């Protein structure tokens, strides 16, 4: 008998033709659901810490530490948002258990890059992963034996700083200043008080522009216009948003004064050839030229082959001063020489002189015409308020600072259940807890999360199990605006408001055979909730039902997560549209890897693209401000 | 730390959220698109190819991965590592350190000679340096060999 009849010997054919595989993309993600011989050539049976970009692979993003280490493991990590006195606060909070067993909150302070102990409860908490939500201005924490509530109340305290006593500015470049102390205004809002007086003695129009500066940097301007006569603004207020520190300077500065004045001119008294300085025109009006500008108008003819240099002079009554000179070649020049002078001098004489002429007197002809200027007389007084010395109606800069915290941290209510899982639903808190051997769902009053007894509150016991005796209540998540989902170990229920104050919340069975044993895996994503099912499938649950999206990783999860499913945590990155599923591999007592599902890519292409990151963590979270 | 932060090549990204995790070192860590290190330490990124033995006419045969042509973009002159396995990744018998040249917005190619032979021949790419490298296409050159085949 030939034992080898089913084998054929392939004689090596050296060399056979090359076979080429051209794979244009490499971003199909991880595929653990098929044998490596049949998965797409752009997918991978094994990957770690890569991400997909431009159809290819690259090293995944890195990470950095946020401040110092906590004194013990972090049981909860959440961004707590609340509104106080019209201001929105975002607190990144990490929650630990002290050596004495109390619950301690630490808040990230980005200004000092430190974690600051916010407060410590006198209540002891269990050393378990905590369920946390931020609702109605309070941070709620459940550990299975209670609900703790942290409410932060910071009364606002008025603060103010004056400008220099007796300040009054009226010339371009002048400024009045105030020093901020202690600064640190809530939301950076400062009110700057000042007055403006303008008298237009001569001229037809005036526009005054004020510049407001913080530490020398302009952050706002304001304009004031006067058509004739005088005008006063006795109490002006500018609202500014500034990141100011103690000791910073606020200044009001006159940026520009634009006046439409009366046109004046004075004729030169002699015209003709003259190589010596002759005073030709006199400004004798007792008012200033606008911007102190004067124009010396003349006509100069220079014969071919020659050059003439003219000197331009003024006399302030003490000295004859050459302002400048210019050289002209052949041709006819009808020019206006611009002369900027000191505005404080009321009377000037002006002259034009032939400094040199290459061809002598016969090589040119100079005809000085006149001196022109625009005349205006204005009085401007801008005053930064000083309440203390000048008795102005308000302080120069007024703002509000946060007072000391007058909030509380403790049991939300003596009537609240010993919750181990919390969710917000409408204006209520839903709580899952164990009551002996019963599984219970409780809810607070609508709009009042501190009330857990009486009308509009309640508890229902959900002990029935249809297809599996192990059907504990595991997690809650709002799904759309009309109902929430209650995820049990083997089924999913709908939770809804009944509209009946006697039984405000109802719960009905919805989906059988799909549940979760990972209460922190459900995460709200656009259009629904993603969670790790009890069968290690990952589901995208919408109002239309569950859609399995974890096919590529299900078998791998079965093989690598044999225990500690309660340690699974998840979060959603709305920037890249990714669902992060943190898992403890091979019986680990913490998260050792994150499987990342590209939810955005799924919504666009229906493709299930997963990748993996290695990390060692207790909890995952997303925050909008770090 | 200030928001927003923007990863390279994605200047218009409206980034205003941060993924965080509480590590077992009891620290909070923030995923940072601008970094290619974990808390300042380098890390390895690995992508393994599927089994390359695909063509019907050579199914069940032994093949040799003669070479791999990689199409890439690199932010600097740097290196990557390409390994070859004859047995589906159980053993990586060939390892090549591949030098890449900086690209300026375009794509370059690099040929990696592996010469690994087996029933389940694969390759893997390891991105070890802290320079940004995107490998976005590959072309594998295979040589069918002989071998015992069950019929």
């Amino acid at each position: 008998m030939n034992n080898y009849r089913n084998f054929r010997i392939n004689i090596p054919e050296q060399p056979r033709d090359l076979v080429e595989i051209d794979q244009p993309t490499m971003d199909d993600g991880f595929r653990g659901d098929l044998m490596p011989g049949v998965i797409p050539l752009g997918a991978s049976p094994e990957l770690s810490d890569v991400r997909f970009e431009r159809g290819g692979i690259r090293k995944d993003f890195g990470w950095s530490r946020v401040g110092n280490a906590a004194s013990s493991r972090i049981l909860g990590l959440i961004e707590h948002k609340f509104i106080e006195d019209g201001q929105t606060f975002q607190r990144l909070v990490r929650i630990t258990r002290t050596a004495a067993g109390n619950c301690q909150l630490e808040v990230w302070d980005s200004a000092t890059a430190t974690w600051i102990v916010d407060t410590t409860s006198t209540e002891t908490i269990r050393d378990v992963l905590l369920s946390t939500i931020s609702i109605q201005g309070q941070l709620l924490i459940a550990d299975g034996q209670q609900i703790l509530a942290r409410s932060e109340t910071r009364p606002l305290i008025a603060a103010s700083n004056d400008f220099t006593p007796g300040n009054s500015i009226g010339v371009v470049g002048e400024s009045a200043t105030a020093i901020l102390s202690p600064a640190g205004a809530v939301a950076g809002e400062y009110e700057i008080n000042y007055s403006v007086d303008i008298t237009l003695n001569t001229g037809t129009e005036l526009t005054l522009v004020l510049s407001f500066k913080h530490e020398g940097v302009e952050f706002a301007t304001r304009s004031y216009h006067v058509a004739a006569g005088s005008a006063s603004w006795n109490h002006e207020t500018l609202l500014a948003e500034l990141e100011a520190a103690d000791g910073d300077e606020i200044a009001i500065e006159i940026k520009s004064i634009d006046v439409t004045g009366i046109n004046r001119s004075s004729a030169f008294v002699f015209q003709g050839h003259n190589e010596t300085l002759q005073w030709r025109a006199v400004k004798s009006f007792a008012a200033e030229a606008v911007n102190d500008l004067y124009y010396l108008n003349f006509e100069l003819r220079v014969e071919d082959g020659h050059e003439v240099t003219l000197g331009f002079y003024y006399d302030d009554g003490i000295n004859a001063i050459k302002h400048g000179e210019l050289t002209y070649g052949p041709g006819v020049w009808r020019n206006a020489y611009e002369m900027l002078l000191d505005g404080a001098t009321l009377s000037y004489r002006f002259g034009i002189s032939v400094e040199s002429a290459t061809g002598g007197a016969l090589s040119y002809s100079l005809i000085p015409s006149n001196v022109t200027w625009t005349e205006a007389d204005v009085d401007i007084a801008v005053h930064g308020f000083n309440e203390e010395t000048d008795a102005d109606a308000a302080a120069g800069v007024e703002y509000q600072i946060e007072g000391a915290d007058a909030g509380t941290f403790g049991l939300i209510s003596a009537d609240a259940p010993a919750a181990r899982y919390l969710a917000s639903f409408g204006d209520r808190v839903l709580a899952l807890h164990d009551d002996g051997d019963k599984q219970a769902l409780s809810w607070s009053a609508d709009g009042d999360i501190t009330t857990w007894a009486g009308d509009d509150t309640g508890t229902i016991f959900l002990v029935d199990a249809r297809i599996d005796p192990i059907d504990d209540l595991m997690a809650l998540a709002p799904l759309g605006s009309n109902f929430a989902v209650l995820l049990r170990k083997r089924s999913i229920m709908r939770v809804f408001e009944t509209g009946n104050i006697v039984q405000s919340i109802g719960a009905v069975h919805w989906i059988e055979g799909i549940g979760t044993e990972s209460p922190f895996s459900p995460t709200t994503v656009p259009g629904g909730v993603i969670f790790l099912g009890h069968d290690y499938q990952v589901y995208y649950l919408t109002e239309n039902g569950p859609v399995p999206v974890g096919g590529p990783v299900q078998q791998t999860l079965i093989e690598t997560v044999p225990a500690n499913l309660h340690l699974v945590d998840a979060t959603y990155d709305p920037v890249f549209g990714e669902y992060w599923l943190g898992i403890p591999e091979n019986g680990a007592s913490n998260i050792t890897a994150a499987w990342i599902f590209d939810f955005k890519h799924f919504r666009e292409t229906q493709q299930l693209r997963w990748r993996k990151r290695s990390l060692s963590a207790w909890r995952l979270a997303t925050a909008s401000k770090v | 730390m200030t928001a927003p932060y923007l990863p390279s090549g994605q200047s218009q990204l409206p980034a205003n959220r941060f993924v965080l995790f509480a590590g077992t070192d009891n620290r909070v860590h923030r995923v940072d698109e601008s970094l290619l290190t974990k808390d300042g330490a380098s890390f390895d990124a690995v992508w393994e190819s599927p089994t390359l033995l695909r063509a019907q006419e050579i199914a069940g045969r032994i093949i040799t991965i003669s070479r791999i042509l990689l199409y890439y973009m690199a932010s600097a002159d740097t290196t990557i590592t390409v390994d070859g396995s004859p047995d589906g990744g159980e053993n990586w018998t060939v390892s090549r350190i591949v030098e890449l040249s900086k690209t300026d917005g375009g794509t370059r190619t690099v040929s990696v000679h592996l010469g690994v032979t087996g029933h389940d021949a694969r390759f893997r790419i390891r991105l070890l340096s802290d320079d940004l490298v995107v490998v976005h296409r590959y072309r594998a050159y295979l040589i069918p060999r002989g071998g015992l085949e069950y019929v």
Side-chain angles (χ1 to χ4, degrees):
Chain A
M1 181 177 179
N2 181 4
N3 290 329
Y4 303 101
R5 61 188 171 83
N6 288 334
F7 287 89
R8 180 173 67 202
I9 296 175
N10 291 311
I11 305 301
E13 304 162 62
Q14 297 289 345
R16 284 184 57 168
D17 290 342
L18 277 176
V19 176
E20 288 184 22
I21 293 176
D22 184 21
Q23 179 54 36
T25 59
M26 301 169 70
D27 64 344
D28 288 337
F30 173 82
R31 291 298 297 267
D33 53 334
L34 296 171
M35 293 304 292
V38 295
I39 68 175
L41 287 164
S44 173
E46 189 71 42
L47 53 73
S48 178
D49 285 312
V50 294
R51 66 180 296 113
F52 308 110
E53 190 174 290
R54 294 186 174 95
I57 56 166
R58 53 156 283 183
K59 204 171 197 178
D60 213 333
F61 299 146
W63 56 65
S64 58
R65 293 169 179 157
V66 180
N68 62 328
S71 56
S72 59
R73 75 165 175 151
I74 298 168
L75 303 175
L77 182 63
I78 183 174
E79 184 176 54
H80 173 40
K81 293 182 181 178
F82 60 96
I83 297 173
E84 181 79 16
D85 286 319
Q87 307 300 322
T88 300
F89 294 86
Q90 293 157 305
R91 303 270 196 248
L92 178 60
V93 182
R94 68 183 185 189
I95 308 167
T96 57
R97 184 174 183 264
T98 66
N102 299 116
C103 182
Q104 181 168 278
L105 309 183
E106 292 177 88
V107 171
W108 175 246
D109 180 5
S110 59
T112 60
T114 54
W115 291 94
I116 296 172
V117 175
D118 175 51
T119 186
T120 302
S121 170
T122 56
E123 307 289 339
T124 58
I125 60 164
R126 291 176 174 168
D127 189 15
V128 296
L129 300 187
L130 301 170
S131 177
T132 56
I133 60 171
S134 178
I135 180 173
Q136 291 181 16
Q138 299 202 42
L139 171 61
L140 305 189
I141 302 164
D143 67 340
Q145 62 182 10
Q146 67 208 330
I147 301 175
L148 297 176
R150 166 68 172 135
S151 66
E152 196 174 345
T153 304
R154 293 184 181 274
L156 300 183
I157 299 173
S160 64
N161 302 115
D162 279 332
F163 285 93
T164 310
N167 72 84
S168 180
I169 56 177
V171 178
V172 173
E174 280 189 337
S175 62
T177 59
I179 304 299
L180 297 179
S181 183
V186 173
E189 292 184 349
Y190 296 85
E191 291 182 353
I192 301 169
N193 299 302
Y194 60 99
S195 62
V196 177
D197 286 295
I198 300 174
T199 301
L200 190 58
N201 298 313
T202 306
T204 58
E205 270 188 291
L206 179 142
T207 300
L208 167 70
V209 179
L210 298 180
S211 170
F212 296 84
K213 295 183 174 179
H214 169 223
E215 289 292 284
V217 177
E218 182 179 276
F219 60 86
T221 60
R222 273 198 172 176
S223 297
Y224 295 87
H225 184 79
V226 176
S230 62
S232 295
W233 293 264
N234 295 324
H235 188 168
E236 292 287 275
T237 300
L238 176 77
L239 179 61
E241 287 190 17
L242 304 171
E243 289 187 14
D246 191 7
D248 281 3
E249 183 181 272
I250 297 291
I252 305 173
E253 183 177 306
I254 294 183
K255 187 172 186 177
S256 67
I257 302 170
D258 187 12
V259 188
T260 303
I262 299 171
N263 293 327
R264 303 286 193 187
S265 69
S266 179
F268 287 95
V269 297
F270 176 79
Q271 299 177 2
H273 299 193
N274 200 322
E275 294 184 17
T276 59
L277 179 63
Q278 297 292 318
W279 301 114
R280 306 295 185 191
V282 177
K283 172 213 173 219
S284 60
F285 301 97
E288 297 177 10
V290 174
N291 299 325
D292 305 317
L293 283 174
Y294 300 86
Y295 300 91
L296 281 60
N297 304 296
F298 63 92
E299 180 181 305
L300 174 66
R301 293 174 181 271
V302 181
E303 301 298 327
D304 288 345
H306 298 286
E307 279 186 350
V308 172
T309 299
L310 298 182
F312 301 92
Y313 292 79
Y314 69 94
D315 180 356
D316 58 2
I318 301 173
N319 298 304
I321 302 166
K322 181 192 286 187
H323 189 272
E325 65 178 32
L326 292 172
T327 298
Y328 299 88
V332 178
W333 305 92
R334 295 184 180 86
N335 280 12
Y337 179 83
E338 182 181 287
M339 198 176 277
L340 176 64
L341 298 177
D342 180 5
T345 303
L346 299 181
S347 180
Y348 283 110
R349 292 190 302 166
F350 301 91
I352 302 176
S353 170
V354 177
E355 303 288 305
S356 64
T358 57
L362 295 177
S363 65
Y364 68 91
S365 169
L366 175 63
I367 308 173
S369 174
N370 59 10
V371 179
T372 57
W373 68 96
T374 303
E375 182 182 332
D377 180 23
V378 297
D379 291 320
I380 295 171
V382 178
H383 173 66
F385 273 15
N386 181 298
E387 185 178 30
E388 186 174 349
T389 304
D390 298 345
D392 288 323
V397 185
E398 296 180 318
Y399 50 100
Q400 291 183 310
I401 58 176
E402 283 184 4
D405 177 30
T408 59
F409 184 38
L411 285 177
I412 190 170
S413 165
D415 300 319
R420 55 179 161 76
Y421 200 91
L422 302 173
S424 59
F425 179 50
D427 255 356
R428 302 176 192 273
V429 173
L430 301 183
L432 300 180
H433 59 103
D434 305 316
D435 186 10
D437 61 348
K438 299 176 181 176
Q439 301 282 309
L441 165 66
S442 297
W443 57 91
S444 70
D446 188 23
D448 181 4
I449 60 173
T450 62
T451 297
W452 291 83
D455 288 345
D456 203 22
T457 67
T459 296
I460 51 177
F461 297 100
L462 300 165
V463 293
D464 62 311
R466 294 191 175 181
I467 63 170
D468 194 323
I470 305 170
D471 205 8
D472 296 350
L473 311 186
M474 298 303 295
L476 286 160
L479 188 66
S481 55
N482 296 321
F483 67 93
V485 289
L486 196 170
L487 293 137
R488 304 176 68 161
K489 279 191 174 177
R490 301 291 183 266
S491 65
I492 300 172
M493 302 182 77
R494 285 178 186 250
V495 178
F496 56 93
E497 289 197 304
T498 64
N500 184 344
I501 197 170
V502 178
Q503 177 77 34
S504 304
I505 296 293
V508 295
H509 287 279
W510 182 24
I511 298 164
E512 301 292 341
I514 296 176
T516 187
E517 297 194 20
S518 306
F520 296 113
S521 73
T523 299
T524 299
V525 300
V529 174
I530 297 181
F531 68 95
L532 175 62
H534 76 280
D535 55 356
Y536 294 88
Q537 175 62 274
V538 179
Y539 292 96
Y540 172 46
L541 181 62
T542 70
E543 293 188 3
N544 296 323
V547 176
V549 295
V553 297
Q554 182 181 19
Q555 186 58 39
T556 302
L557 292 175
I558 291 171
E559 294 167 1
T560 57
V561 192
N564 293 337
L565 280 167
H566 64 285
L567 298 177
V568 169
D569 199 2
T571 193
Y572 179 69
D573 177 354
V575 172
F576 292 98
E578 295 175 340
Y579 171 76
W580 286 55
L581 179 68
I583 56 164
E585 297 172 298
N586 306 314
S589 57
N590 59 272
I591 292 168
T592 57
W595 281 105
I596 302 170
F597 174 54
D598 193 339
F599 177 71
K600 184 179 176 185
H601 187 68
F602 166 70
R603 297 253 284 188
E604 292 169 351
T605 66
Q606 295 299 302
Q607 185 185 1
L608 305 178
R609 188 164 74 181
W610 288 82
R611 70 181 198 275
K612 185 183 181 183
R613 300 224 61 182
S614 58
L615 75 171
S616 182
W618 301 117
R619 303 302 304 264
L620 304 179
T622 306
S624 60
K625 186 177 182 182
V626 177
Chain B
M1 299 173 188
T2 55
Y5 56 98
L6 299 171
S8 63
Q10 303 192 51
S11 59
Q12 300 303 313
L13 192 72
N16 57 0
R17 299 285 281 192
F18 302 84
V19 172
L20 307 169
F21 66 88
T24 51
D25 57 357
N26 296 338
R27 293 177 187 270
V28 174
H29 303 258
R30 174 195 134 188
V31 175
D32 189 332
E33 286 84 342
S34 65
L35 298 180
L36 289 171
T37 56
K38 295 178 177 178
D39 296 329
S42 294
F43 64 94
D44 297 352
V46 180
W47 184 90
E48 183 178 316
S49 78
T51 304
L52 294 184
L53 191 61
R54 294 300 177 95
Q56 191 61 41
E57 67 271 18
I58 59 172
R61 304 283 182 87
I62 292 172
I63 62 164
T64 294
I65 303 177
S66 171
R67 65 187 178 101
I68 302 291
L69 186 67
L70 299 176
Y71 296 72
Y72 71 93
M73 293 183 285
S75 64
D77 293 343
T78 187
T79 60
I80 61 172
T81 301
V82 179
D83 303 324
S85 171
D87 51 12
E90 286 189 27
N91 298 286
W92 296 95
T93 56
V94 175
S95 184
R96 305 274 187 251
I97 296 175
V98 182
E99 294 187 352
L100 305 182
S101 299
K102 180 177 183 290
T103 59
D104 295 313
T107 295
R108 287 178 183 266
T109 59
V110 63
S111 182
V112 184
H113 293 270
L114 283 181
V116 61
T117 302
H119 279 290
D120 187 354
R122 306 181 192 180
F123 72 96
R124 72 178 177 187
I125 298 169
R126 289 187 288 153
L127 307 172
L128 309 181
S129 82
D130 297 339
D131 300 310
L132 181 60
V133 174
V134 180
V135 181
H136 59 87
R137 181 178 191 145
Y138 69 84
R139 180 172 292 180
Y141 296 87
L142 312 176
I143 301 173
R145 303 293 187 186
L148 287 178
E149 181 183 3
Y150 185 76
V151 295

